[in-house]
Amino acid sequence: MRASAIVVVIGACGGGAQTTPSPPSSPPQRAASEPTPAAICARITALHDAHCGFFTSLDFDASHCSNAFRNAQQGAPSTSRLALRGLGRCVVANQRCDEAQQCVAKIPYWVKPVQQAPSADAACARLDGPLAKCGYGIGHDHSGGCLGFMADHREILESSGHCVVDEGDDCEHVTDCMQDSVFDKTDLRACSDVDPGKAVGMLAADWARRNGAGVARYSAARSTKAAPLEVCGFIAENHWLIDAACDDGSHPIATRPQAEASRVGNEGTAGRCGSIVDLYRVKCPEATYELHIDAYVCPLTE
Protein backbone atom coordinates (compact mmCIF):
# COMPACT_ATOMS: atom_id res chain seq x y z
CA MET A 1 0.00 0.00 0.00
CA ARG A 2 1.39 3.37 -0.98
CA ALA A 3 0.92 6.83 0.52
CA SER A 4 2.27 10.26 -0.28
CA ALA A 5 4.49 12.43 1.87
CA ILE A 6 5.85 15.96 1.52
CA VAL A 7 9.60 15.57 1.61
CA VAL A 8 10.75 19.15 2.21
CA VAL A 9 10.59 20.95 5.54
CA ILE A 10 11.04 24.68 5.17
CA GLY A 11 13.67 25.93 7.58
CA ALA A 12 15.44 22.56 7.84
CA CYS A 13 16.71 22.00 4.33
CA GLY A 14 19.18 23.59 1.96
CA GLY A 15 22.09 23.98 4.33
CA GLY A 16 23.63 20.50 4.57
CA ALA A 17 27.05 19.90 6.04
CA GLN A 18 30.01 20.32 3.73
CA THR A 19 32.80 17.91 2.88
CA THR A 20 36.07 18.40 1.04
CA PRO A 21 35.47 16.85 -2.44
CA SER A 22 34.58 19.37 -5.13
CA PRO A 23 31.02 19.10 -6.49
CA PRO A 24 30.47 18.12 -10.15
CA SER A 25 29.87 21.77 -11.01
CA SER A 26 30.09 25.08 -9.18
CA PRO A 27 27.10 25.97 -6.99
CA PRO A 28 24.71 28.11 -9.05
CA GLN A 29 24.00 31.69 -8.15
CA ARG A 30 20.37 32.74 -8.00
CA ALA A 31 19.14 33.18 -11.57
CA ALA A 32 17.42 36.41 -12.53
CA SER A 33 14.18 34.43 -13.02
CA GLU A 34 14.26 33.09 -9.45
CA PRO A 35 12.07 35.06 -7.01
CA THR A 36 13.81 36.52 -3.99
CA PRO A 37 13.64 34.55 -0.72
CA ALA A 38 11.77 37.46 0.88
CA ALA A 39 9.08 37.37 -1.81
CA ILE A 40 8.74 33.60 -1.49
CA CYS A 41 8.38 33.70 2.28
CA ALA A 42 5.83 36.51 2.13
CA ARG A 43 3.69 34.44 -0.27
CA ILE A 44 3.96 31.27 1.83
CA THR A 45 2.93 33.25 4.91
CA ALA A 46 -0.04 34.69 3.02
CA LEU A 47 -1.11 31.26 1.76
CA HIS A 48 -0.73 29.81 5.26
CA ASP A 49 -2.77 32.62 6.85
CA ALA A 50 -5.45 32.28 4.15
CA HIS A 51 -5.85 28.56 5.06
CA CYS A 52 -4.85 27.52 1.55
CA GLY A 53 -4.91 23.72 1.42
CA PHE A 54 -1.71 22.00 2.50
CA PHE A 55 0.02 25.37 3.04
CA THR A 56 -2.02 25.58 6.26
CA SER A 57 -0.32 22.50 7.73
CA LEU A 58 3.07 22.99 6.08
CA ASP A 59 5.97 22.57 8.52
CA PHE A 60 7.02 26.19 8.25
CA ASP A 61 9.48 28.15 10.40
CA ALA A 62 9.16 31.80 9.40
CA SER A 63 12.39 32.80 11.18
CA HIS A 64 14.44 30.45 8.99
CA CYS A 65 12.42 30.70 5.77
CA SER A 66 14.54 33.22 3.86
CA ASN A 67 17.77 31.47 4.76
CA ALA A 68 16.38 28.10 3.65
CA PHE A 69 15.41 29.42 0.21
CA ARG A 70 18.69 31.35 -0.13
CA ASN A 71 20.63 28.14 0.55
CA ALA A 72 18.43 26.24 -1.90
CA GLN A 73 19.06 28.77 -4.65
CA GLN A 74 22.79 29.13 -4.08
CA GLY A 75 23.74 25.63 -2.90
CA ALA A 76 24.79 22.74 -5.08
CA PRO A 77 21.78 20.88 -6.55
CA SER A 78 20.12 18.11 -4.53
CA THR A 79 16.56 16.82 -4.62
CA SER A 80 15.57 18.82 -1.52
CA ARG A 81 17.09 22.05 -2.87
CA LEU A 82 15.47 21.59 -6.29
CA ALA A 83 12.12 20.98 -4.60
CA LEU A 84 12.47 24.20 -2.59
CA ARG A 85 13.42 26.17 -5.72
CA GLY A 86 10.33 24.82 -7.47
CA LEU A 87 8.16 25.70 -4.49
CA GLY A 88 9.46 29.25 -4.52
CA ARG A 89 8.67 29.71 -8.20
CA CYS A 90 5.20 28.22 -7.77
CA VAL A 91 4.01 30.38 -4.90
CA VAL A 92 5.25 33.65 -6.41
CA ALA A 93 4.01 32.96 -9.96
CA ASN A 94 0.55 31.72 -8.90
CA GLN A 95 -1.52 34.12 -6.85
CA ARG A 96 -4.59 31.90 -6.54
CA CYS A 97 -4.60 29.17 -3.91
CA ASP A 98 -5.72 26.38 -6.24
CA GLU A 99 -3.16 27.33 -8.91
CA ALA A 100 -0.33 27.41 -6.38
CA GLN A 101 -1.26 23.94 -5.11
CA GLN A 102 -1.54 22.52 -8.64
CA CYS A 103 1.89 23.92 -9.49
CA VAL A 104 3.50 22.48 -6.35
CA ALA A 105 1.97 19.05 -7.02
CA LYS A 106 3.99 18.86 -10.27
CA ILE A 107 7.39 19.64 -8.71
CA PRO A 108 9.83 16.71 -9.00
CA TYR A 109 10.83 15.38 -5.56
CA TRP A 110 8.22 17.46 -3.68
CA VAL A 111 5.77 14.61 -3.19
CA LYS A 112 7.04 11.04 -3.36
CA PRO A 113 5.55 7.60 -2.76
CA VAL A 114 6.18 6.09 0.63
CA GLN A 115 6.58 2.32 0.71
CA GLN A 116 4.83 0.77 3.67
CA ALA A 117 7.14 -1.69 5.44
CA PRO A 118 5.64 -5.17 5.94
CA SER A 119 5.62 -6.83 9.32
CA ALA A 120 8.67 -8.84 10.39
CA ASP A 121 6.36 -11.88 10.62
CA ALA A 122 5.31 -11.50 6.97
CA ALA A 123 8.88 -11.01 5.74
CA CYS A 124 10.27 -13.94 7.72
CA ALA A 125 7.45 -16.23 6.61
CA ARG A 126 8.62 -15.59 3.05
CA LEU A 127 12.36 -15.80 3.79
CA ASP A 128 12.03 -19.03 5.74
CA GLY A 129 9.45 -20.38 3.29
CA PRO A 130 9.37 -20.01 -0.52
CA LEU A 131 12.49 -17.79 -0.61
CA ALA A 132 14.65 -20.13 1.49
CA LYS A 133 15.94 -21.56 -1.83
CA CYS A 134 17.48 -18.16 -2.64
CA GLY A 135 20.16 -18.52 0.03
CA TYR A 136 19.82 -15.03 1.49
CA GLY A 137 20.70 -16.40 4.92
CA ILE A 138 18.98 -13.53 6.72
CA GLY A 139 18.93 -14.36 10.41
CA HIS A 140 20.18 -17.94 10.07
CA ASP A 141 23.20 -17.22 12.25
CA HIS A 142 21.35 -14.78 14.53
CA SER A 143 20.44 -15.89 18.03
CA GLY A 144 16.81 -14.92 17.43
CA GLY A 145 16.63 -16.26 13.90
CA CYS A 146 14.96 -14.18 11.20
CA LEU A 147 12.61 -12.37 13.59
CA GLY A 148 15.50 -11.46 15.88
CA PHE A 149 17.52 -10.22 12.92
CA MET A 150 14.64 -8.05 11.70
CA ALA A 151 14.17 -6.60 15.19
CA ASP A 152 17.85 -5.58 15.23
CA HIS A 153 17.89 -4.36 11.59
CA ARG A 154 14.65 -2.48 11.17
CA GLU A 155 16.20 -0.40 8.37
CA ILE A 156 16.46 -3.52 6.16
CA LEU A 157 12.80 -4.33 6.70
CA GLU A 158 11.83 -0.74 5.87
CA SER A 159 13.95 -0.47 2.72
CA SER A 160 13.69 -3.99 1.26
CA GLY A 161 10.91 -5.79 3.08
CA HIS A 162 8.39 -5.06 0.32
CA CYS A 163 10.64 -6.91 -2.14
CA VAL A 164 10.51 -10.07 -0.02
CA VAL A 165 6.75 -9.93 0.47
CA ASP A 166 5.43 -8.55 -2.83
CA GLU A 167 7.83 -9.58 -5.62
CA GLY A 168 6.98 -13.28 -6.02
CA ASP A 169 9.15 -16.37 -5.70
CA ASP A 170 11.75 -15.76 -8.43
CA CYS A 171 15.06 -15.28 -6.60
CA GLU A 172 16.68 -13.07 -9.22
CA HIS A 173 13.62 -10.81 -9.41
CA VAL A 174 13.51 -10.42 -5.62
CA THR A 175 17.28 -9.81 -5.52
CA ASP A 176 16.99 -7.10 -8.21
CA CYS A 177 14.34 -5.36 -6.14
CA MET A 178 16.39 -5.60 -2.94
CA GLN A 179 19.52 -4.24 -4.57
CA ASP A 180 17.58 -1.41 -6.17
CA SER A 181 16.13 -0.48 -2.76
CA VAL A 182 19.47 0.11 -1.05
CA PHE A 183 19.13 3.85 -1.59
CA ASP A 184 16.27 6.16 -2.55
CA LYS A 185 16.72 7.54 -6.06
CA THR A 186 14.19 10.28 -5.29
CA ASP A 187 16.28 11.56 -2.36
CA LEU A 188 19.64 12.55 -3.80
CA ARG A 189 22.31 14.65 -2.11
CA ALA A 190 24.71 17.18 -3.56
CA CYS A 191 28.33 16.08 -3.91
CA SER A 192 29.24 18.58 -1.18
CA ASP A 193 26.78 17.07 1.33
CA VAL A 194 28.07 14.43 3.74
CA ASP A 195 26.01 11.22 3.68
CA PRO A 196 27.62 8.12 2.07
CA GLY A 197 24.31 6.27 2.41
CA LYS A 198 22.64 8.63 -0.07
CA ALA A 199 23.32 8.71 -3.78
CA VAL A 200 24.61 11.89 -5.39
CA GLY A 201 22.41 13.73 -7.89
CA MET A 202 23.88 15.23 -11.06
CA LEU A 203 22.20 17.65 -13.42
CA ALA A 204 22.03 16.65 -17.09
CA ALA A 205 25.29 18.28 -18.23
CA ASP A 206 27.32 16.69 -15.42
CA TRP A 207 25.57 13.33 -15.81
CA ALA A 208 26.55 13.21 -19.50
CA ARG A 209 30.19 13.81 -18.50
CA ARG A 210 30.35 11.33 -15.60
CA ASN A 211 33.26 8.91 -15.58
CA GLY A 212 32.40 5.83 -17.65
CA ALA A 213 29.60 7.38 -19.69
CA GLY A 214 29.65 6.01 -23.23
CA VAL A 215 32.57 3.64 -22.58
CA ALA A 216 32.13 0.41 -24.56
CA ARG A 217 35.41 -1.47 -23.89
CA TYR A 218 37.14 -2.38 -20.66
CA SER A 219 40.44 -1.13 -22.08
CA ALA A 220 38.94 2.34 -22.51
CA ALA A 221 37.68 2.52 -18.92
CA ARG A 222 39.85 4.70 -16.73
CA SER A 223 39.07 4.12 -13.07
CA THR A 224 40.76 4.28 -9.70
CA LYS A 225 39.44 4.27 -6.16
CA ALA A 226 39.71 8.07 -6.17
CA ALA A 227 38.10 8.40 -9.63
CA PRO A 228 35.74 5.44 -10.11
CA LEU A 229 33.32 4.76 -12.94
CA GLU A 230 29.95 6.27 -12.03
CA VAL A 231 26.52 4.63 -12.44
CA CYS A 232 23.10 4.83 -10.78
CA GLY A 233 22.38 1.71 -8.73
CA PHE A 234 23.75 -1.80 -8.35
CA ILE A 235 21.71 -3.19 -11.23
CA ALA A 236 23.20 -0.49 -13.47
CA GLU A 237 26.63 -1.41 -12.09
CA ASN A 238 26.12 -5.02 -13.21
CA HIS A 239 24.74 -3.96 -16.58
CA TRP A 240 27.78 -1.76 -17.22
CA LEU A 241 30.01 -4.81 -16.73
CA ILE A 242 27.78 -6.96 -18.98
CA ASP A 243 27.62 -4.38 -21.79
CA ALA A 244 31.36 -3.63 -21.88
CA ALA A 245 33.54 -5.79 -24.13
CA CYS A 246 37.13 -6.97 -24.42
CA ASP A 247 39.26 -5.67 -27.29
CA ASP A 248 38.33 -8.70 -29.44
CA GLY A 249 34.62 -7.97 -28.94
CA SER A 250 34.02 -10.83 -26.50
CA HIS A 251 31.94 -10.43 -23.35
CA PRO A 252 33.43 -12.33 -20.38
CA ILE A 253 30.44 -11.28 -18.25
CA ALA A 254 27.05 -12.23 -19.67
CA THR A 255 24.76 -12.36 -16.63
CA ARG A 256 24.23 -10.49 -13.37
CA PRO A 257 25.35 -13.48 -11.26
CA GLN A 258 28.61 -13.48 -13.24
CA ALA A 259 28.95 -9.74 -12.65
CA GLU A 260 28.47 -10.25 -8.91
CA ALA A 261 30.98 -13.11 -8.93
CA SER A 262 33.60 -10.75 -10.39
CA ARG A 263 33.21 -8.36 -7.45
CA VAL A 264 36.28 -8.35 -5.22
CA GLY A 265 34.62 -6.26 -2.51
CA ASN A 266 33.94 -2.66 -1.53
CA GLU A 267 36.77 -0.20 -0.97
CA GLY A 268 35.00 2.02 1.51
CA THR A 269 34.12 5.65 0.88
CA ALA A 270 36.01 7.23 -2.00
CA GLY A 271 35.43 8.94 -5.32
CA ARG A 272 34.86 12.65 -5.77
CA CYS A 273 31.75 12.63 -3.57
CA GLY A 274 32.73 10.20 -0.82
CA SER A 275 30.39 7.31 -1.76
CA ILE A 276 30.96 3.56 -1.32
CA VAL A 277 33.15 2.27 -4.19
CA ASP A 278 33.13 -1.36 -5.40
CA LEU A 279 36.11 -3.16 -6.95
CA TYR A 280 35.58 -5.68 -9.77
CA ARG A 281 38.15 -7.83 -11.57
CA VAL A 282 37.41 -8.90 -15.16
CA LYS A 283 39.66 -11.17 -17.26
CA CYS A 284 39.92 -10.52 -21.00
CA PRO A 285 42.25 -12.19 -23.55
CA GLU A 286 44.42 -9.07 -23.67
CA ALA A 287 44.49 -8.26 -19.93
CA THR A 288 42.82 -8.58 -16.56
CA TYR A 289 41.10 -5.33 -15.63
CA GLU A 290 40.48 -3.91 -12.19
CA LEU A 291 37.41 -1.69 -12.33
CA HIS A 292 36.44 0.67 -9.54
CA ILE A 293 32.73 1.57 -9.68
CA ASP A 294 30.65 4.08 -7.72
CA ALA A 295 26.98 3.01 -7.96
CA TYR A 296 25.80 6.02 -5.93
CA VAL A 297 25.61 8.59 -8.75
CA CYS A 298 22.20 9.35 -10.32
CA PRO A 299 20.68 11.90 -12.71
CA LEU A 300 18.65 14.81 -11.32
CA THR A 301 15.44 16.04 -12.89
CA GLU A 302 15.26 19.82 -12.67
Side-chain angles (χ1 to χ4, degrees):
M1 186 173 185
R2 292 180 179 271
S4 293
I6 294 177
V7 298
V8 175
V9 178
I10 298 171
C13 297
Q18 301 298 301
T19 186
T20 51
S22 299
S25 58
S26 299
Q29 298 300 312
R30 184 173 64 85
S33 59
E34 293 270 13
T36 65
I40 295 169
C41 294
R43 280 292 297 144
I44 291 177
T45 300
L47 290 165
H48 179 276
D49 293 346
H51 303 288
C52 173
F54 68 75
F55 288 101
T56 304
S57 57
L58 191 66
D59 194 349
F60 173 60
D61 184 346
S63 65
H64 293 92
C65 181
S66 290
N67 189 51
F69 281 100
R70 189 173 299 107
N71 286 337
Q73 291 173 347
Q74 297 179 353
S78 67
T79 50
S80 61
R81 293 188 184 104
L82 290 179
L84 275 180
R85 293 178 202 174
L87 172 63
R89 291 191 292 268
C90 281
V91 297
V92 172
N94 296 277
Q95 296 299 305
R96 288 175 47 185
C97 172
D98 59 339
E99 292 175 344
Q101 291 192 96
Q102 290 170 13
C103 180
V104 171
K106 298 175 183 177
I107 299 172
Y109 315 118
W110 177 254
V111 176
K112 69 175 183 177
V114 175
Q115 184 71 52
Q116 191 73 28
S119 67
D121 286 337
C124 289
R126 295 276 296 151
L127 289 166
D128 291 336
L131 296 180
K133 62 183 179 181
C134 302
Y136 296 133
I138 295 178
H140 290 176
D141 298 325
H142 195 280
S143 59
C146 180
L147 290 175
F149 180 88
M150 289 300 178
D152 291 340
H153 299 84
R154 179 70 188 178
E155 71 282 359
I156 293 178
L157 187 63
E158 292 175 349
S159 65
S160 304
H162 67 283
C163 300
V164 172
V165 173
D166 299 331
E167 295 296 327
D169 297 344
D170 182 88
C171 295
E172 186 171 353
H173 189 60
V174 174
T175 300
D176 285 353
C177 177
M178 292 174 70
Q179 290 191 340
D180 219 26
S181 300
V182 170
F183 60 80
D184 185 353
K185 295 177 184 177
T186 68
D187 185 13
L188 305 175
R189 66 182 174 97
C191 186
S192 54
D193 295 333
V194 179
D195 191 345
K198 278 189 179 182
V200 172
M202 287 188 180
L203 295 175
D206 292 314
W207 175 254
R209 294 193 299 265
R210 73 192 186 281
N211 193 23
V215 174
R217 294 186 182 272
Y218 295 115
S219 59
R222 299 290 182 263
S223 71
T224 63
K225 179 180 176 180
L229 305 169
E230 296 167 327
V231 300
C232 180
F234 301 117
I235 294 175
E237 190 172 51
N238 289 166
H239 285 170
W240 190 98
L241 293 162
I242 291 168
D243 293 341
C246 299
D247 284 349
D248 64 356
S250 62
H251 291 265
I253 296 177
T255 66
R256 289 197 58 227
Q258 288 178 342
E260 284 300 306
S262 71
R263 181 176 177 271
V264 177
N266 85 64
E267 302 180 275
T269 55
R272 55 175 159 171
C273 299
S275 301
I276 301 294
V277 173
D278 288 323
L279 174 62
Y280 289 84
R281 189 170 290 125
V282 180
K283 186 175 182 179
C284 281
E286 73 277 7
T288 296
Y289 297 99
E290 288 198 341
L291 302 156
H292 308 261
I293 306 181
D294 179 353
Y296 287 76
V297 180
C298 294
L300 274 172
T301 301
E302 193 169 21

